[in-house]
Amino acid sequence: MAIDYYENVWHNGKFIPWEEATLHVASHVVSYGTCLFEGIRCYETPQGPAIFRLKDHAQRLADSCKIYRMELAYSVADLQQAMTELIRVNHAQHAYIRPLVFRGLGDLGVNPLKNPIETYILCWRWGKYLGDEALKNGIDVCVSSWNRIAPNTLPSMAKAAANYMNSQLIKMEAVANGYVEGIALDHTGNVSEGSGENIFVVRNNRIVTPPLANSVLPGITRDSVITLAEELGLPVSEQVVPREALYIADEVFFCGTAAEITPLRSIDRIVIGKGRPGPVTRELQERLLAIASGRAEDKYGWLAYVHQPVAAR
Ligand code: PPE
């Protein structure tokens, strides 16, 4: 199997082996995509493994469930503890953590309400999301012919599995045309986000990113970037980004848990800036990874150290 997984999986409060973390094909989620999930990185640090912005991810999962009227049996604190224990029992030094809350086996038909809610948390070793050279040299991307999910159809503030059918269309088209990733416009034709990343545009030392109303996931890395940019004296403005602003930017980068901060060196074969990662992107990338890996002081309290009592966090 290609997944470099850790053996223990958390299921409704108990640890089970990876091989037993299976479900019936009649589960509601299989037909209807009834699943809310998260993606969180645990970094190796000199003080042992640390989960990056654990509480914020747990809160976003709770928010996603609320939007979909899914009553989560676990509090945000319970989820934080479960993920911390999962890293501990797996003796992991670093991991990508994937909590999933979905409707299981009970009844078929669109109405989900009669189906049990299952909570699983898996983790595995995940390297560089967009290729080994991506962080260093940047990637070549396109603007997708597929729009991002429109407002009042699938809510983009919820991290729902079903949203990723739209992401898959964007990703597959990009790959089929020889690009690493695609940027989606929203239903009005303005920039939204990548298939699995938020996007930032830099021009003349001004940084902009599309606001949440342009069908973007409220990314936690996006939030970290906004904080770190402010620290560098370059406050980010959340404003509508027309497509063509991408082409004439000095720098454009993607950010996300998996993608971290990935520079874009060309968009639709138009070279961005000098065609290599620019100074703002590099500085933000270095700062984010220094904090995440415990090399720099954690001044915002973003790291949840796994081998400390939960109360101390
Ligand atoms: N937008 C989308 C659509 C998205 O999927 C992600 C995360 C982001 C923005 C960035 O959010 P955040 O991780 O909170 O900074 N995408 C996750 C899933 C990738 C996957 O292939 O699965 C991720 O980066 O973990």
Side-chain angles (χ1 to χ4, degrees):
M1 194 187 284
I3 305 170
D4 192 1
Y5 60 85
Y6 288 103
E7 182 56 31
N8 294 286
V9 173
W10 190 95
H11 175 220
N12 296 347
K14 294 199 173 70
F15 290 104
I16 58 170
W18 175 275
E19 293 72 22
E20 289 173 23
T22 56
L23 71 161
H24 197 279
V25 290
S27 299
H28 198 267
V29 59
V30 177
S31 285
Y32 307 109
T34 328
C35 173
L36 291 317
F37 72 101
E38 270 304 317
I40 309 165
R41 271 194 197 268
C42 174
Y43 286 90
E44 185 167 4
T45 82
Q47 290 82 42
I51 307 175
F52 190 70
R53 303 201 63 173
L54 173 60
K55 187 173 182 191
D56 301 292
H57 282 280
Q59 181 64 54
R60 189 173 63 187
L61 182 59
D63 293 346
S64 298
C65 290
K66 188 169 187 186
I67 292 168
Y68 277 95
R69 301 174 189 270
M70 234 199 260
E71 233 165 88
L72 191 50
Y74 305 97
S75 66
V76 168
D78 294 338
L79 294 169
Q80 286 174 255
Q81 183 150 8
M83 288 189 260
T84 308
E85 278 170 17
L86 183 69
I87 295 296
R88 239 180 252 144
V89 302
N90 280 306
H91 304 290
Q93 289 306 311
H94 63 89
Y96 183 88
I97 308 170
R98 168 63 46 87
L100 300 157
V101 181
F102 60 83
R103 293 279 184 178
L105 184 63
D107 198 15
L108 284 170
V110 168
N111 182 354
L113 298 172
K114 286 190 195 142
N115 295 286
I117 297 169
E118 306 278 353
T119 308
Y120 282 84
I121 313 174
L122 339 164
C123 62
W124 66 90
R125 297 170 193 85
W126 221 7
K128 299 303 170 203
Y129 186 60
L130 296 167
D132 286 342
E133 298 284 292
L135 294 190
K136 201 164 94 204
N137 299 332
I139 55 171
D140 302 308
V141 307
C142 60
V143 172
S144 183
S145 73
W146 293 101
N147 284 350
R148 196 75 183 121
I149 46 180
N152 228 10
T153 61
L154 290 168
S156 61
M157 286 184 71
K159 192 170 169 73
N163 296 359
Y164 290 83
M165 291 301 276
N166 170 257
S167 291
Q168 288 176 54
L169 291 170
I170 296 163
K171 184 77 177 192
M172 290 188 292
E173 181 191 54
V175 170
N177 290 328
Y179 300 99
V180 172
E181 181 59 289
I183 299 167
L185 306 178
D186 75 353
H187 76 295
T188 66
N190 292 301
V191 176
S192 178
E193 60 180 349
S195 77
E197 309 87 5
N198 291 114
I199 191 166
F200 283 76
V201 177
V202 186
R203 183 168 153 114
N204 297 332
N205 274 328
R206 295 169 65 91
I207 312 180
V208 298
T209 194
L212 299 185
N214 289 115
S215 300
V216 307
L217 181 76
I220 288 160
T221 320
R222 176 183 183 274
D223 182 75
S224 306
V225 166
I226 291 171
T227 300
L228 295 177
E230 187 131 343
E231 186 185 280
L232 298 179
L234 300 170
V236 174
S237 100
E238 294 182 54
Q239 64 183 56
V240 175
V241 178
R243 174 179 184 162
E244 58 276 22
L246 298 172
Y247 303 129
I248 59 173
D250 299 327
E251 304 177 33
V252 184
F253 61 86
F254 275 151
C255 72
T257 299
E260 297 171 316
I261 292 181
T262 300
L264 307 191
R265 66 180 172 198
S266 75
I267 301 173
D268 295 331
R269 306 284 178 220
I270 298 176
V271 172
I272 302 306
K274 297 195 168 69
R276 56 185 133 83
V280 175
T281 307
R282 291 226 309 260
E283 203 159 348
L284 288 168
Q285 194 185 47
E286 164 54 29
R287 189 83 187 99
L288 181 79
L289 292 179
I291 294 175
S293 62
R295 280 185 281 121
E297 186 207 342
D298 179 22
K299 61 191 270 198
Y300 305 106
W302 286 343
L303 297 183
Y305 286 100
V306 168
H307 299 300
Q308 272 177 18
V310 175
R313 273 176 266 122

